Amino acid sequence: MVDWSGGNDRGAKPVKDAIWACVARAGAAEAPVYLRNRQVAEAWIAELLETELEAGRRVLAGFDFPFGYPRGYAAALTGLDDPLALWDWYAAHVTDEPGANNRFDLAAEINLRFGGKGPFWANGLPGRDIDGLPRTKADYENPFADRRQAETQAKGAFTCWQMAGAGAVGSQVFMGLPVLARLRARLGDAVSVWPFQPLETPVALVEIWPSLTVGAAPEGMIKDAWQVCEVARSVSALAPEVLADILAVEASEEGWIFGLGHEEILRSQPPAPPPLRNDCFALPAGVDWTPVQDALALLRAGLTPVTAVESLPASRATGRIVAEDVRAVRANPPLPNTAVDGYGFAGGRDAGAHVMPLAEGRAAAGDAPRRVPDGMAIRVLTGAALPEGVDTVVLQEDVTLGGGQIAFQGPVRQGANTRNAGEDVHAGEIILEAGSRIGPPQAALLAATGVGDVPVRKPLRVGVLSTGDEVVEAGTPALPGQIYDANRPMLLSMITAFGHEPVDMGRVGDDREALRARLDQAAGRADVIMTSGGASAGDEDHVSALLRAAGAMELWRIAVKPGRPLALGLWSGVPVFGLPGNPVAALVCALIFAHPAMARLAGQAWPVPQGFDVPAAFSKRKKPGRTEFLRARIREGAAEVFGSEGSGRISGLSWADGLVELGPEARDVRPGDRVRYIPFAAFGL
């Protein structure tokens, strides 16, 4: 979706009233793209469409300006009532450079063809009057209708004849239709235009008006950027049959605004989370070496969910993260019921022998409650709703049956062997809090309390990329100086275990432009990017160099062993975790820092791994300063550590089943001393 502008080049810094674009797939919007002028925008759009066509994907491309004029204008100007002929006429007559264009002079020329007083008005050039284009609507005459049928139904929409001032849609049309005409010529039969042509091609061009369905932007975000992303996200989330219904429009000459008449459907799509701030990874002033706990606190404070929300049947939501508090539709149990097989009656019984007449029939699970006469008992089975007149049950093992009556010994307290309505959960009670993950127990609770659909987060997509000339794929020949890529398989499998969706972005050598292109691809396919290697500050550390050049990068020197350098930043609005290249350090940093951060980005409550104090089965003298994580395993109730602390000893990862954490203070650990052990299972591995 593209928010257009009829003005001149807006400069390198993103600003309002400029051209903004956003790509969304399956209800998830990418970061908005700022396009400083129409020449840059046209090239970007053409490249995007060609890339999507090459990949075999279909694209609905929306543009924020009218595709046609009120009836009769196209034929009066071109001799044809075909609006696409008007597009080509504009492409042949509009001149456009980043700093200047002829839109006002062309509007005046068209007006002179119709007598010089209309249909266009509003000369926006200060200090230069233009014959044929009035500055205001004084003495203005329009030989055509003031608005299309679409504008008469879209409250607040502007007329396409106004060329300057607030709501100058006319200039946007003049400067937009030539671009679309050239795109049609460039892409040929791959493009169709709605609603003028059948949508039987991979690319469909549609007219949008973001203000039709999207309101104010979050604080600190440019309205145009926010609106275009919200439109893209909501349209990409539509079911195919709903989209087809919205596109079923007859407006062969004037065109139509996408979604007009279907506003509530588009507004009903769940809202998107706000984008991360550029300073979400910023360290406080003066901070250099960061203690582990401080680093975790900074991540927790700076990150917010980035995944979109959808509604799923509770039966299909296992593994998803709850987006908002879920309340019980009805109580559990919904009615008082019996906890055992036995005989029910009203009131308890004192000590001694008791005989009671037995009512006919029985109460079993699923039976509608019936009434039992006063002073009588009835046969009840486990789970049955208590009949009216029954509040106590005596176990069948404690009863003698005969002659249409029962006998038993007291005492039996009132309410014995029964469950109260709502004893487990009351109707309307919160049963799952936002941020919790749905597992089998939670699925059972949702079903038991009558919850049909549940709002959940879409899975977090995590792109994994390895870098470095020295890294090659396992199973292929390797030169003496090369190593096999162990990080990518490890990280991809970790991401799956964490409950996220891994996106394999492959490997890139020490080529900065190739890495830039791969990061662009990753930003289009993932919600988070995780790289390994190139995260420090050396000549070949291209990840940190590119993030720094993009203006959204922090190199965290964390007081941790193994690890230390952790490059954090945003690439096209997508958070990037630049892990160390060493596999052991990459695993430790992924577990300690990336695991909780990704959970937070996925919409989950911040997880704290459960550790245990256990006796040490090793000796270790540790200097103060850094928190250390040792590969460890539990044997006979004590923690063993791997024989070498070398970060290159990958076999130690397979040998271990957890980590021993030694805090920043100095320690002299001896066998039997208590140490904190964190099993890999605490991270979901």
Side-chain angles (χ1 to χ4, degrees), residues 24-212:
R25 308 173 196 273
E30 299 174 7
V33 177
Y34 169 68
L35 303 164
R36 61 182 294 171
N37 58 49
R38 286 177 294 279
Q39 290 71 32
V40 171
E42 183 174 346
W44 183 88
I45 294 164
E47 182 180 353
L48 170 70
L49 295 179
E50 289 172 341
T51 300
E52 297 300 300
L53 287 170
E54 186 177 349
R57 291 188 284 266
R58 303 185 70 195
V59 183
L60 186 145
F63 295 85
D64 178 29
F65 52 82
F67 280 11
Y69 284 86
R71 188 174 302 278
Y73 173 73
L77 190 63
T78 69
L80 300 170
D81 59 5
D82 178 5
L84 298 181
L86 183 64
W87 288 24
D88 294 334
W89 191 93
Y90 274 26
H93 290 80
V94 170
T95 60
D96 189 11
E97 298 294 335
N101 60 76
N102 70 335
R103 68 185 188 274
F104 296 115
D105 293 290
L106 183 60
E109 178 186 323
I110 295 172
N111 279 357
L112 291 173
R113 294 189 180 199
F114 300 115
K117 293 187 177 182
F120 297 102
W121 62 278
N123 171 11
L125 295 177
R128 181 165 78 89
D129 292 332
I130 303 176
D131 183 29
L133 184 63
R135 290 194 179 275
T136 68
K137 294 186 75 172
D139 298 324
Y140 167 78
E141 296 178 5
N142 191 345
F144 309 101
D146 184 59
R147 296 172 187 268
R148 301 179 299 162
Q149 287 298 311
E151 275 96 36
T152 64
Q153 297 185 33
K155 184 178 180 180
F158 292 89
T159 174
C160 55
W161 306 118
Q162 181 183 345
M163 297 297 296
V169 173
S171 283
Q172 293 186 358
V173 181
F174 265 55
M175 311 316 297
L177 293 184
V179 172
L180 298 189
R182 288 190 291 271
L183 286 174
R184 290 185 66 233
R186 180 169 175 169
L187 301 177
D189 293 339
V191 177
S192 55
V193 180
W194 176 83
F196 308 139
Q197 298 175 310
L199 299 184
E200 299 170 351
T201 58
V203 176
L205 307 182
V206 305
E207 174 189 336
I208 64 170
W209 182 39
S211 295
L212 183 70

Side-chain angles (χ1 to χ4, degrees), residues 253-267:
E253 181 179 343
E254 292 191 341
W256 197 255
I257 299 169
F258 179 90
L260 183 60
H262 302 270
E263 292 88 343
E264 289 307 314
I265 292 175
L266 293 172
R267 292 191 189 108

Side-chain angles (χ1 to χ4, degrees), residues 300-328:
R300 185 171 187 173
L303 298 180
T304 55
V306 298
T307 48
V309 177
E310 63 179 342
S311 181
L312 283 182
S315 59
R316 290 172 42 207
T318 299
R320 294 295 193 90
I321 295 168
V322 177
E324 58 188 59
D325 292 347
V326 179
R327 297 180 181 273

